[in-house]
Amino acid sequence: MDIKLVEARIEAILFTMGEAVELDRLALAIDHDEDTTRKIIRNMMDKYDDESRGIHIIELDGAYQLCTKASMYESIIKITHIPKKHVLTDVLLETLSIVAYKQPITRLQIEEIRGVKSDHPINKLLEYNLICELGRMDAPGRPILFGTTEEFLRSFGLQSLDSLPAINPEKLEDFKLEAEEEAEQLTLDI
Amino acid sequence: MDIKLVEARIEAILFTMGEAVELDRLALAIDHDEDTTRKIIRNMMDKYDDESRGIHIIELDGAYQLCTKASMYESIIKITHIPKKHVLTDVLLETLSIVAYKQPITRLQIEEIRGVKSDHPINKLLEYNLICELGRMDAPGRPILFGTTEEFLRSFGLQSLDSLPAINPEKLEDFKLEAEEEAEQLTLDI
Amino acid sequence: MSIRVKLEAFEGPLDLLLHLIDKNKINIYDIPIVEITDQYLDYIKQMEEKNLEIMSEFLVMAATLINIKSRMLLPAVETEDEQDADPRQELVDKLLEYKMFKYVSEKLRDKQENASRILFKPPTIPKEIADYKEEIDVNELIGDLTLSKLHEIFSSIVKKQSDKIDPIRSKFGKIEQEEINLSDIFIQIQEYGIKNKIFYFRNLLEQQSTKMEIIVTFLGILELIRLGRIRIEQEHMFDDIRITYLASDIITMEEAGF
């Protein structure tokens, strides 16, 4: 099959669907195997990088979605009002980070890290579809396990969970040094 | 201004708006006069004619809209007809069992039993036509009451909704005991 | 009241503790536990018993701090065991972990900020195609699920629920926590009145919705009418009540002799 036609089909499908389309469904629709489909899409992604294009394809956990480039934002808001997304409070963001890095995680484990009851933020994050239930833990009481959703990846511009900002041990060292420096400063001041 | 950037902006605007955008609004958004804007768009239209593109710009009474090419129709039908994989996850099964045995039941009552917000599994079960709304509870806020569908019951070999109340937990226990007694009887008979 | 507002700014005991450590420019690995415990308890004292649930969480941390403090004050036992851990260690670990998540949540905030500049397009599936809906095959969906399996799942959930209920105390009936502070609401109505002059009863209820809060707000309104501090109008029965605030100052419940 002509590769150009396949590209056209993928573009048309992604445009029409609007939402993220899984690789396996795309492959079926264009009658190619998944590996070939992935290669074609990767190639298309490069073409969209051209500066005359205002849209591009993003990858979300093995699914693909068409969206505008971030740099186009200013021009778009000139012509239309864009409703603000949910602004996440510190509490929600903190709870969400814990779920993102520690998933699958139970409510109790979240509360242990935060040191405070967390029903409210957990329910809000469920409501915003940023976290979801993954199932139940095989432990006494069979507590619910939480994890992040595709919407979480999209809202934070992440390709997959692997692209979460890294928590590295060095950072912890930095905190330690900072604290020590501050302590030293204090002694000097006195 | 760089012509490529202007093209990108027009593409991004048309993509986001979805509907037809009048020339004068487009011209304002990209800071060019209408004639220049029209020329740029016409030029873009030629580019979209390339066979590797699945979408193009159409002109409608002095307004412009981004849409899929007519030749892409078959591919779009194809993807929408590829059935999504529907799976009853643990979360769904759990919610379904609560509705089955406690119906009619409100969302809040389900959430009390599960200990977590349950909009998502309830919506999924509704989509799968396994549960349905039975009416509203005569209580403050008149909450919706959920129950299982006839289709759900039929697939379990039950004739109608009326036959479900008989399947209460005690009854099942009775069945089990009966079966065991019968089995014992059988051994004695031999 | 200002103190309470300040305290509510802390998300929890760990947050407050981090704030104190920050404020005192303390090395997190070498917390002067005596000092911090005292400061922490000072904060707790200012909290009053506004919200029992929040309060209890702060108190648990206070107990932990006092426990560590007392262990630190005891003369160090000379042992060969080098692993005789610093009693502060567990707390330090917790604080560091918490601090780490506060740090990454800021990074995530930036990411979200950037991602919010990307826009998507709703599906535009032609109507005749959208109307075609793949029938969801319930039989296939249910697969080999049987009623007894469903019952098993149900029983395990219900069992778990009954495990959580204390059989004796559950018979005591529901104990509602007194969350509404009448004098606070009385002041709030007046503050709202000074700011808005003319407003509606429903405006007052926008932020509070429990039955108890509505009743208390209504009582407050009645009291303000009695004192001649507001004027109310209602054209028809069940219409929203229009309130005109006449006074220019605020009086407390004690002053009003409520």
Side-chain angles (χ1 to χ4, degrees):
Chain A
M1 190 192 274
D2 183 7
I3 190 88
K4 282 192 158 192
L5 189 57
V6 177
E7 288 187 2
R9 286 185 176 163
I10 292 172
E11 186 178 57
I13 288 168
L14 293 182
F15 179 84
T16 308
M17 302 299 278
E19 58 204 28
V21 184
E22 297 79 19
L23 179 66
D24 56 343
R25 295 183 74 210
L26 272 172
L28 272 172
I30 60 163
D31 265 332
H32 276 62
D33 61 63
E34 293 188 17
D35 274 345
T36 316
T37 311
R38 190 187 293 109
K39 268 182 209 140
I40 296 171
I41 296 174
R42 290 264 159 87
N43 189 37
M44 287 174 74
M45 287 168 121
D46 288 344
K47 288 197 193 172
Y48 278 107
D49 273 346
D50 188 278
E51 57 180 340
S52 72
R53 303 301 310 268
I55 56 176
H56 64 167
I57 298 175
I58 54 164
E59 186 175 346
L60 290 164
D61 220 4
Y64 298 90
Q65 187 165 11
L66 212 50
C67 63
T68 62
K69 292 180 180 169
S71 55
M72 295 294 124
Y73 187 75
E74 301 305 329
S75 307
I76 296 164
I77 53 169
K78 265 190 183 170
I79 200 159
T80 185
H81 170 77
I82 292 155
K84 269 267 165 209
K85 283 228 177 130
H86 305 292
V87 178
L88 298 182
T89 60
D90 289 347
V91 176
L92 289 187
L93 207 58
E94 179 184 305
T95 312
L96 182 59
S97 333
I98 294 170
V99 176
Y101 284 92
K102 291 271 187 178
Q103 60 188 309
I105 187 171
T106 67
R107 181 187 305 253
L108 201 69
Q109 290 168 330
I110 296 170
E111 289 173 351
E112 265 165 19
I113 293 174
R114 297 195 57 232
V116 70
K117 276 253 176 219
S118 302
D119 303 69
H120 179 74
I122 290 172
N123 279 335
K124 268 273 172 266
L125 292 171
L126 281 170
E127 193 185 317
Y128 292 165
N129 192 26
L130 291 168
I131 65 169
C132 63
E133 294 176 45
L134 297 178
R136 289 190 182 259
M137 195 188 214
D138 199 10
R142 300 201 18 86
I144 294 171
L145 290 163
F146 297 98
T148 51
T149 59
E150 181 190 280
E151 179 59 25
F152 164 76
L153 294 178
R154 194 168 18 243
S155 310
F156 287 84
L158 303 167
Q159 210 175 57
S160 70
L161 287 175
D162 295 335
S163 35
L164 276 171
I167 295 189
N168 46 13
E170 289 96 286
K171 195 65 211 172
L172 266 177
E173 275 311 301
D174 284 354
F175 283 146
K176 191 179 164 182
L177 282 176
E178 252 173 54
E180 274 168 6
E181 263 169 41
E182 278 170 6
E184 220 164 309
Q185 201 71 41
L186 199 71
T187 343
L188 290 176
D189 286 351
I190 298 163
Chain B
M1 191 191 273
D2 184 6
I3 189 86
K4 282 191 156 193
L5 189 57
V6 177
E7 289 185 2
R9 286 183 177 164
I10 292 172
E11 184 176 60
I13 287 169
L14 293 180
F15 176 84
T16 313
M17 301 294 283
E19 61 205 26
V21 185
E22 295 76 22
L23 179 65
D24 55 343
R25 287 180 74 200
L26 272 172
L28 264 175
I30 59 162
D31 263 332
H32 278 63
D33 61 60
E34 293 188 18
D35 273 346
T36 318
T37 310
R38 189 185 295 109
K39 268 182 210 140
I40 295 171
I41 295 174
R42 290 263 160 87
N43 188 38
M44 286 173 75
M45 286 167 116
D46 288 344
K47 287 199 196 173
Y48 279 107
D49 273 345
D50 187 282
E51 57 179 340
S52 74
R53 303 302 309 268
I55 54 175
H56 64 167
I57 298 175
I58 53 167
E59 188 174 345
L60 295 158
D61 213 9
Y64 297 90
Q65 185 170 1
L66 207 54
C67 62
T68 52
K69 292 179 178 171
S71 57
M72 295 294 124
Y73 194 74
E74 295 304 322
S75 303
I76 291 161
I77 289 185
K78 207 162 174 189
I79 188 115
T80 49
H81 286 199
I82 293 170
K84 279 194 179 169
K85 268 182 224 136
H86 301 291
V87 196
L88 283 179
T89 60
D90 290 351
V91 178
L92 293 185
L93 269 178
E94 184 179 307
T95 313
L96 181 62
S97 76
I98 293 168
V99 176
Y101 285 97
K102 286 276 190 181
Q103 62 186 315
I105 187 170
T106 66
R107 185 179 300 255
L108 202 70
Q109 289 168 331
I110 296 171
E111 290 174 352
E112 268 167 17
I113 294 175
R114 300 198 58 233
V116 70
K117 275 243 182 214
S118 301
D119 302 67
H120 184 75
I122 291 171
N123 288 341
K124 266 276 175 256
L125 291 172
L126 283 169
E127 185 194 324
Y128 290 171
N129 197 27
L130 289 170
I131 66 168
C132 61
E133 294 180 17
L134 296 178
R136 287 182 182 268
M137 197 189 213
D138 196 11
R142 298 188 40 76
I144 296 168
L145 289 164
F146 296 98
T148 48
T149 58
E150 282 188 35
E151 209 173 338
F152 163 81
L153 293 168
R154 227 176 333 222
S155 21
F156 282 107
L158 297 163
Q159 292 294 310
S160 69
L161 265 173
D162 300 331
S163 16
L164 195 83
I167 315 291
N168 56 24
E170 289 92 325
K171 198 73 194 169
L172 271 179
E173 272 311 303
D174 289 350
F175 285 152
K176 206 173 154 190
L177 282 176
E178 266 176 48
E180 275 166 11
E181 266 169 40
E182 274 168 17
E184 226 165 301
Q185 203 70 45
L186 205 66
T187 345
L188 289 176
D189 285 352
I190 297 162
Chain C
M1 190 179 273
S2 64
I3 291 163
R4 189 182 59 159
V5 170
K6 217 162 67 190
L7 271 162
E8 279 173 354
F10 295 107
E11 285 171 27
L14 286 172
D15 207 30
L16 170 54
L17 211 51
L18 272 184
H19 165 78
L20 291 177
I21 288 169
D22 233 37
K23 203 184 77 178
N24 291 293
K25 297 213 177 293
I26 288 168
N27 179 345
I28 202 163
Y29 287 97
D30 189 18
I31 302 168
I33 210 81
V34 177
E35 220 173 288
I36 284 293
T37 305
D38 289 348
Q39 286 191 24
Y40 185 89
L41 290 175
D42 271 350
Y43 266 87
I44 300 275
K45 273 186 207 130
Q46 292 164 1
M47 274 181 96
E48 301 171 20
E49 291 140 65
K50 293 293 180 189
N51 183 330
L52 215 61
E53 196 173 322
I54 295 177
M55 188 66 186
S56 61
E57 283 163 347
F58 281 90
L59 284 175
V60 170
M61 176 58 75
T64 310
L65 285 173
I66 293 168
N67 179 292
I68 297 172
K69 177 173 155 182
S70 53
R71 275 154 69 199
M72 302 269 302
L73 291 176
L74 286 172
V77 187
E78 294 281 342
T79 53
E80 264 103 279
D81 189 3
E82 275 303 305
Q83 287 188 326
D84 201 12
D86 188 328
R88 295 170 296 184
Q89 191 54 46
E90 203 186 319
L91 182 65
V92 168
D93 290 346
K94 257 182 103 81
L95 278 169
L96 277 176
E97 185 177 36
Y98 181 70
K99 195 170 176 170
M100 179 58 82
F101 280 112
K102 277 194 98 71
Y103 164 78
V104 291
S105 71
E106 277 318 304
K107 287 210 141 186
L108 280 179
R109 186 187 291 289
D110 293 344
K111 283 209 162 272
Q112 190 194 23
E113 182 98 15
N114 286 332
S116 71
R117 299 168 66 84
I118 291 167
L119 301 168
F120 298 87
K121 169 189 158 298
T124 40
I125 301 163
K127 199 183 170 303
E128 67 274 16
I129 299 177
D131 284 349
Y132 172 87
K133 267 214 171 132
E134 186 73 26
E135 273 294 309
I136 292 168
D137 188 343
V138 172
N139 280 320
E140 200 188 307
L141 197 58
I142 287 172
D144 53 5
L145 178 64
T146 58
L147 258 190
S148 62
K149 167 90 171 113
L150 208 57
H151 175 243
E152 206 177 283
I153 296 167
F154 176 71
S155 310
S156 76
I157 300 160
V158 173
K159 182 179 176 305
K160 203 185 74 221
Q161 254 225 320
S162 53
D163 284 352
K164 277 193 290 198
I165 299 166
D166 181 329
I168 298 166
R169 279 180 220 186
S170 64
K171 295 200 181 94
F172 288 174
K174 202 168 176 190
I175 301 165
E176 293 262 353
Q177 192 184 307
E178 181 63 73
E179 279 177 9
I180 298 139
N181 189 319
L182 220 138
S183 55
D184 280 359
I185 290 193
F186 191 62
I187 301 275
Q188 277 164 23
I189 298 170
Q190 297 180 71
E191 283 174 346
Y192 193 85
I194 284 184
K195 219 169 85 195
N196 296 283
K197 289 295 169 212
I198 296 170
F199 54 101
Y200 288 90
F201 184 58
R202 208 161 283 166
N203 298 146
L204 284 176
L205 302 177
E206 269 163 14
Q207 267 122 5
Q208 46 207 9
S209 47
T210 70
K211 204 186 282 173
M212 202 55 207
E213 282 168 326
I214 295 171
I215 293 167
V216 169
T217 306
F218 193 67
L219 284 176
I221 291 290
L222 289 179
E223 183 62 12
L224 288 167
I225 298 170
R226 189 185 66 86
L227 294 165
R229 300 180 78 88
I230 59 170
R231 189 178 66 227
I232 67 158
E233 295 149 73
Q234 185 183 37
E235 283 209 37
H236 304 286
M237 230 200 300
F238 303 122
D239 268 5
D240 205 345
I241 305 165
R242 182 182 150 105
I243 302 164
T244 311
Y245 195 75
L246 305 170
S248 55
D249 59 343
I250 291 174
I251 61 165
T252 64
M253 242 170 45
E254 288 75 15
E255 286 165 345
F258 198 19

